[in-house]
Amino acid sequence: MDCIFCAIARGELGTKLIYEDEDVVAFEDLNPQAPTHILVIPRRHYPSLQDVPKDEIGIVARLAAAAQELAAERRIWPSGYRLVVNSGSEGGQTVSHLHLHVLGGRQMVWPPG
Ligand code: 5GP
Ligand code: ZN
């Protein structure tokens, strides 16, 4: 299977991993939309949030835990940050490997575009 995020998680593209545990890795977004823009992904390939089986949904909490740690480390808390999971075409998802965007370092606006 040809998945760019799987390749990054395996360390094949030389992308610097800024967080790593048994199940989760994180790295800087290539096209940052904020001063801090990190992608947190499961090592296992799920095309989208909808594809996570109910008995594996705990991985989403693991992504959130990594985001929490990174937000503290990057000092975007307590100023604040945004977590985004684009899902499917109308959700704005362009890479078909579940990922959590961690955005911070500037004022976010609501609603998003
Ligand atoms: P999506 O639109 O699917 O929610 O987000 C995909 C994100 O992945 C985009 O923000 C895009 O900039 C980022 N991205 C796509 N390809 C690469 C890559 O090869 N390396 C990194 N670091 N980020 C990527
Ligand atoms: Zn993948």
Side-chain angles (χ1 to χ4, degrees):
M1 187 191 26
D2 200 20
C3 170
I4 194 154
F5 284 3
C6 281
I8 288 173
R10 288 193 298 258
E12 290 169 4
L13 296 187
T15 303
K16 188 182 175 204
L17 299 179
I18 58 176
Y19 174 92
E20 251 189 292
D21 68 31
E22 200 182 336
D23 302 311
V24 175
V25 306
F27 50 92
E28 310 278 358
D29 196 291
L30 195 60
N31 181 25
Q33 302 302 311
T36 296
H37 188 171
I38 297 167
L39 299 173
V40 185
I41 73 169
R43 288 186 189 274
R44 180 171 295 179
H45 181 88
Y46 305 100
S48 78
L49 182 62
Q50 287 306 107
D51 300 301
V52 181
K54 280 281 180 291
D55 65 346
E56 294 176 34
I57 201 71
I59 188 64
V60 179
R62 302 287 304 280
L63 299 179
Q68 201 181 48
E69 217 173 282
L70 286 158
E73 195 179 296
R74 293 297 175 96
R75 302 185 191 284
I76 53 172
W77 186 260
S79 49
Y81 62 92
R82 178 171 290 175
L83 299 183
V84 175
V85 182
N86 296 326
S87 302
S89 159
E90 285 199 6
Q93 185 177 5
T94 59
V95 176
S96 294
H97 180 126
L98 172 64
H99 53 280
L100 189 60
H101 295 261
V102 183
L103 296 146
R106 67 166 169 84
Q107 180 62 54
M108 297 296 150
V109 293
W110 191 262

